[in-house]
């Protein structure tokens, strides 16, 4: 389904700020795989997702989705195949547009935008039903500006937008990191529900080891621009945090260093 | 008393002029508010509109066709700025300045000299300041008013279409737009084109109204446009929420601007100082949201501090 081969990325090459963010990434994801991604600060997790999404061009390697080589497609063209939710709740929605307008924009992802009306009345009814699934009361506020919503509501809406037109691959970059624990849990539950309902192939970055283990059927760990741990199936189901840390230390030869992850470990 | 009579006398004129510039201001609104870029092409494209219309009319072209071609000329001018920005990576302000400068030469070439007049006694025109006090359909207030309403409705429709929504989204959030498959570069170009089309259209009206086109007629147009947007929002922002009404408030903002200008002139202010006055007013109004935010955050901090001390 998704096949990443030998992707490398160096930021600011040839300057003192040169930074090798991806150092030969190889990843093969099957249809319906829900992969959680974990790793320390600056490990290259976001960069990997951004490469798939086309935010920055790759230095070398290739990215193929469902047999379509998207390595050199501009970001807006790949959007046809991808659903994305970002870490910052502000990023995923247009604050100054209504909830229904945001959904209508998302419903037209990958289609030519014409002079037909931007949102039909049939769509409105449909969105109302969809928003009910979130259980946040947004179905009563279709014409409210998204800027008025809380971070959690915005993330839930972004999730709905990302999956409104079923994407081939869903990319979640710490999409609950900016939320309070209770809201984060709720958004994660909604995520789980949507992903399993549509059997979406998903890549979810998280800094919470507990979540990384709890959700999905596969877990990968990144370090210095490489994927160093890849756990699937039964093994993944039985994984514990202690085992995970051990795996990491063995594979990387260093301590797991992430202030964020340490915090979430303490919470457990 | 005499001054009051003078003011009342000048009112229809300022009103008409305000409405004509109101079309230009709506063009500025499209870039400044919807697309969230400051496009300085307008100073040039406004004169382009006037120049194109006057030359076509002098050559016997149908008046409405001349207006349409002026609009298209504006679209092209906007396309240049848009492409300089998106394809050549030039910051949009600089791209606008470059186009504006280039247009100065082009406008001279279109007219063959620095200004061209059209005499309303010899040629049919759509609007003329001669008619501002007539109770007739050709009164510019009626002609421009009707066209303005039509344009507002057309824009209201357009920004509700899939294409229009994509332009709005591009102006609000580039990352989100791309993630939703919107070609943001294309939409920026489209928005800047539409804006300059409206600006040139307005220039075509003004040239007929005043009876001539001049290469310098657009000088400071961006400031007038911004002033109209800001005044319109300040005065009507609380009551006009609907998009069509917001566009209308921009046109009203322009009318208010011209009435104020006319008033200070009538009261004896040196006309040479007008541009200084306009620039100062716009500068202050642009600063207000910034000051307000600063004040609010300081206020918040104080309140918080107060609570902690208590
Ligand atoms: N646009 C950019 N320009 C320059 N350097 C960048 C850019 N994006 C990322 N980097 C660098 O690349 C490295 C990998 O960053 P990335 O954001 O992928 O890490 P991450 O694994 O997502 O970390 P975190 O957990 O902190 O989000 C970091 O050293 C970062 O500073
Ligand atoms: Mg990251």
């Amino acid at each position: 389904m998704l096949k990443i081969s030998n992707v490398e990325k160096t930021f600011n090459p040839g300057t003192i700020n040169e930074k090798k963010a991806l150092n030969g990434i190889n990843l093969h994801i099957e249809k319906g795989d829900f992969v959680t991604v974990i790793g320390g600060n600056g490990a290259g997790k976001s960069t990997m997702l951004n490469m798939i999404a086309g935010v920055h061009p790759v230095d070398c390697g290739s990215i193929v989705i469902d047999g379509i080589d998207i390595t050199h497609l501009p970001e807006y063209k790949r959007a046809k195949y991808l659903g994305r939710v970002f870490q910052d709740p502000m990023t995923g929605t247009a604050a100054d547009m209504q909830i229904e307008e945001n959904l209508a924009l998302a419903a037209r992802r990958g289609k030519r935008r014409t002079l037909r009306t931007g949102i039909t009345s049939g769509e409105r009814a449909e969105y109302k039903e969809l928003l009910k699934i979130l259980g946040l009361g947004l179905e009563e506020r279709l014409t409210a500006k998204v800027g008025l919503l809380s971070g959690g509501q915005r993330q839930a809406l972004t999730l709905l937008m990302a999956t409104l037109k079923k994407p081939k691959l869903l990319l979640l970059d710490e999409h609950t990191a900016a939320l309070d624990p209770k809201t984060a849990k709720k958004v994660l539950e909604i995520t789980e529900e949507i992903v399993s309902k549509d059997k979406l192939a998903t890549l979810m970055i998280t800094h919470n080891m507990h979540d990384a283990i709890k959700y999905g059927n596969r877990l990968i760990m990144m370090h210095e621009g490489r994927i160093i741990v890849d756990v699937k199936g039964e093994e993944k189901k039985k994984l514990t945090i202690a085992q995970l840390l051990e795996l990491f230390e063995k594979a990387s030869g260093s301590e797991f260093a992430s202030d964020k992850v340490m915090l979430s470990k303490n919470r457990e | 008393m005499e001054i009051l009579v003078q003011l009342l006398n000048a009112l229809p004129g300022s009103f008409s002029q305000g409405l004509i510039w109101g079309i230009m201001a709506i063009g500025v609104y499209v870039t400044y508010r919807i697309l969230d870029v400051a496009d300085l092409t307008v100073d040039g494209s406004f004169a382009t509109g006037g120049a194109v219309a006057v030359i076509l009319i002098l050559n016997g072209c149908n008046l409405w066709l001349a207006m349409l071609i002026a609009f298209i000329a504006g679209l092209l001018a906007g396309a240049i700025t848009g492409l300089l920005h998106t394809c050549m990576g030039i910051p949009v302000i600089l791209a606008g300045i470059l186009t504006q400068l280039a247009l100065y030469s082009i406008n001279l070439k279109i007219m063959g000299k620095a200004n061209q007049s059209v005499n309303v006694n010899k040629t049919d025109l759509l609007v003329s300041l001669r008619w501002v006090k007539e109770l007739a359909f050709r009164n510019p207030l009626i002609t421009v008013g009707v066209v303005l309403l039509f344009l507002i409705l057309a824009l209201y429709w357009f920004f509700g279409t899939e294409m229009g929504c994509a332009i709005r989204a591009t102006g609000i959030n580039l990352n989100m737009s791309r993630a939703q498959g919107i070609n943001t570069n294309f939409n920026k170009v489209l928005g800047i084109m539409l804006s300059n089309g409206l600006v040139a259209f307005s220039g075509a009206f003004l040239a007929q109204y005043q009876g001539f086109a001049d290469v310098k007629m657009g000088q400071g147009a961006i400031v007038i446009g911004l002033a109209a947007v800001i005044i319109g929002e300040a005065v009507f922002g609380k009551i006009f929420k609907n998009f069509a009404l917001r566009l209308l408030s921009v046109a009203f903002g322009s009318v208010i601007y011209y009435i104020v200008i006319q008033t200070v002139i009538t009261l004896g202010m040196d006309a040479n100082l007008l541009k200084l006055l306009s620039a100062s007013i716009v500068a202050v109004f642009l600063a207000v949201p910034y000051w307000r935010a600063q004040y609010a955050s300081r206020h918040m901090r104080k309140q918080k501090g107060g609570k902690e001390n208590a």
Side-chain angles (χ1 to χ4, degrees):
Chain A
M1 221 292 299
L2 171 74
K3 204 165 182 180
I4 306 180
S5 318
N6 297 316
V7 166
E8 291 185 14
K9 179 69 187 177
T10 304
F11 287 109
N12 310 313
T15 70
I16 44 164
N17 291 323
E18 181 170 308
K19 172 78 206 173
K20 188 143 200 168
L22 293 184
N23 202 345
I25 295 283
N26 287 290
L27 183 65
H28 196 144
I29 295 181
E30 301 297 337
K31 266 200 170 67
D33 263 357
F34 183 167
V35 184
T36 56
V37 185
I38 200 155
N41 299 124
K45 307 180 295 290
S46 298
T47 307
M48 180 174 76
L49 255 58
N50 286 339
M51 292 292 126
I52 300 172
V55 178
H56 315 288
V58 299
D59 292 346
C60 63
S62 73
I63 303 170
V64 178
I65 284 190
D66 236 2
I68 308 155
D69 187 345
I70 62 163
T71 319
H72 301 293
L73 281 188
E75 189 180 353
Y76 76 90
K77 280 195 183 156
R78 315 179 183 199
K80 187 173 178 178
Y81 314 113
L82 304 171
R84 287 161 73 195
V85 185
F86 310 85
Q87 175 168 357
D88 180 355
M90 300 299 168
T91 312
T93 46
D96 210 24
M97 290 172 91
Q98 300 166 349
I99 292 179
E100 59 179 27
E101 285 176 327
N102 271 276
L103 286 163
L105 281 173
R108 286 158 180 75
R109 190 177 66 226
K111 279 201 246 162
R112 236 168 59 87
R113 299 186 195 244
T114 64
L115 288 176
R116 273 193 295 263
T117 176
I119 175 166
T120 63
S121 44
E123 283 177 76
R124 285 202 177 90
E126 185 191 328
Y127 298 156
K128 211 173 168 124
E129 288 309 307
L130 278 172
L131 284 165
K132 274 185 195 156
I133 302 174
L134 301 183
L136 297 170
L138 295 183
E139 63 274 12
E140 303 302 327
R141 302 170 65 187
L142 276 176
T143 57
K145 292 268 163 75
V146 169
L148 300 172
L149 304 185
S150 69
Q153 289 172 327
R154 283 178 82 153
Q155 287 305 68
L157 178 63
T158 310
L159 201 57
L160 203 58
M161 288 166 63
T163 52
L164 193 57
K165 281 213 68 192
K166 206 173 150 184
K168 289 187 189 294
L169 179 67
L170 181 61
L171 300 175
L172 309 170
D173 187 351
E174 298 199 34
H175 68 306
T176 60
L179 310 176
D180 65 80
K182 213 176 125 211
T183 318
K185 187 155 175 277
K186 170 96 192 161
V187 171
L188 269 175
E189 279 163 7
I190 297 171
T191 307
E192 164 100 291
E193 197 180 316
I194 292 179
V195 168
S196 60
K197 189 186 74 192
D198 288 340
K199 300 193 181 56
L200 295 174
T202 303
L203 264 173
M204 179 174 93
I205 301 178
T206 171
H207 61 256
N208 186 320
M209 293 210 172
H210 177 73
D211 290 340
I213 291 171
K214 179 173 166 199
Y215 296 99
N217 61 340
R218 184 170 166 193
L219 181 150
I220 60 176
M221 204 170 221
M222 289 183 70
H223 181 64
E224 291 177 351
R226 285 199 184 84
I227 295 172
I228 54 162
V229 174
D230 188 343
V231 194
K232 314 177 196 185
E234 282 305 308
E235 195 188 349
K236 156 87 182 2
K237 271 187 202 149
K238 287 186 256 157
L239 204 63
T240 63
I241 290 181
Q243 280 174 335
L244 198 53
L245 286 173
E246 200 180 316
L247 275 173
F248 177 85
E249 273 152 33
K250 226 187 270 166
S252 70
S254 66
E255 285 244 334
F256 194 95
S258 166
D259 29 345
K260 285 190 285 187
V261 174
M262 286 307 161
L263 271 179
S264 50
K265 230 173 39 174
N266 292 343
R267 221 170 51 210
E268 287 313 306
Chain B
M1 198 57 218
E2 207 176 306
I3 284 182
L4 204 63
V5 173
Q6 265 180 24
L7 275 178
L8 282 178
N9 253 326
L11 206 55
S14 334
F15 216 100
S16 310
Q17 219 173 340
L19 284 183
I20 293 175
W21 283 92
I23 297 175
M24 194 250 2
I26 289 175
V28 170
Y29 184 90
V30 169
T31 44
Y32 186 66
R33 277 287 182 250
I34 298 181
L35 212 52
D36 197 23
V37 298
D39 172 30
L40 301 187
T41 318
V42 292
D43 287 25
S45 57
F46 189 74
T48 304
V52 167
V54 164
I55 293 300
L56 286 171
I57 291 170
L58 286 176
N59 284 294
C61 175
N62 171 288
L63 294 173
W64 288 108
L65 184 62
M67 294 297 286
L68 179 69
I69 297 175
F71 177 78
I72 294 171
L75 292 181
L76 292 176
I80 303 291
T81 302
L83 293 174
L84 284 175
H85 174 50
T86 56
C87 292
M88 295 168 68
I90 300 170
V92 70
I93 295 210
L94 199 50
I97 292 174
L98 291 176
T99 312
Q100 181 199 117
L101 187 70
L103 284 175
Y104 192 87
S105 297
I106 291 175
N107 296 339
L108 272 173
K109 278 289 173 200
I110 292 173
M111 293 195 286
K113 51 182 182 174
N115 56 65
Q116 276 284 1
S117 47
V118 273
N119 190 330
V120 68
N121 295 327
K122 293 190 200 141
T123 342
D124 247 351
L125 294 178
L126 289 174
V127 289
S128 169
L129 54 81
R130 300 270 179 92
W131 309 329
V132 286
K133 283 176 199 147
E134 282 184 13
L135 285 173
F137 278 123
R138 67 175 186 180
N139 186 316
L141 276 180
I142 296 180
T143 317
V144 180
V146 169
V147 170
L148 187 74
L149 285 182
F150 173 77
L151 287 177
I152 287 177
L153 288 179
L155 288 171
Y156 181 74
W157 165 78
F158 176 71
F159 281 107
T161 65
E162 294 174 339
M163 224 184 238
C165 284
I167 295 181
R168 284 163 59 207
T170 300
I172 297 170
N173 188 338
L174 286 173
N175 285 319
M176 174 266 190
S177 299
R178 289 193 205 109
Q180 298 304 342
I182 292 169
N183 184 344
T184 48
N185 279 343
F186 171 77
N187 280 288
K188 275 190 198 168
V189 176
L190 206 60
I192 296 174
M193 284 176 71
L194 177 61
S195 163
N196 282 286
L198 290 165
V199 170
F201 189 84
S202 161
F205 257 149
L206 188 74
Q208 296 175 59
Y209 178 81
Q210 62 187 16
F212 65 91
D214 186 296
V215 279
K216 292 212 175 81
M217 69 190 273
Q219 210 176 55
I222 183 69
V223 176
I224 297 174
L226 289 177
V229 170
I230 292 164
I231 295 171
E233 284 175 352
V235 177
F236 303 102
K238 287 253 151 46
I239 41 176
F240 285 1
K241 298 279 187 217
N242 175 285
F243 180 66
L245 291 178
R246 285 212 302 250
L247 293 180
L248 194 64
S249 70
V250 172
F252 285 162
S254 164
V255 170
I256 294 173
Y257 175 84
Y258 270 93
I259 290 176
V260 170
I261 294 289
Q262 189 60 51
T263 309
V264 295
I265 291 180
T266 314
L267 291 177
M269 192 180 116
D270 182 353
N272 290 334
L273 294 179
L274 275 183
K275 295 216 153 130
L276 177 64
L277 180 72
S278 311
S280 311
I281 293 175
V282 170
V284 170
F285 272 99
L286 288 178
V288 165
Y290 175 73
W291 285 338
R292 201 178 283 159
Q294 289 243 311
Y295 174 80
S297 70
R298 204 170 310 150
H299 200 68
M300 289 258 281
R301 231 177 300 148
K302 243 189 219 158
Q303 265 190 342
K304 255 193 181 163
K307 261 184 208 153
E308 270 158 28
N309 290 341

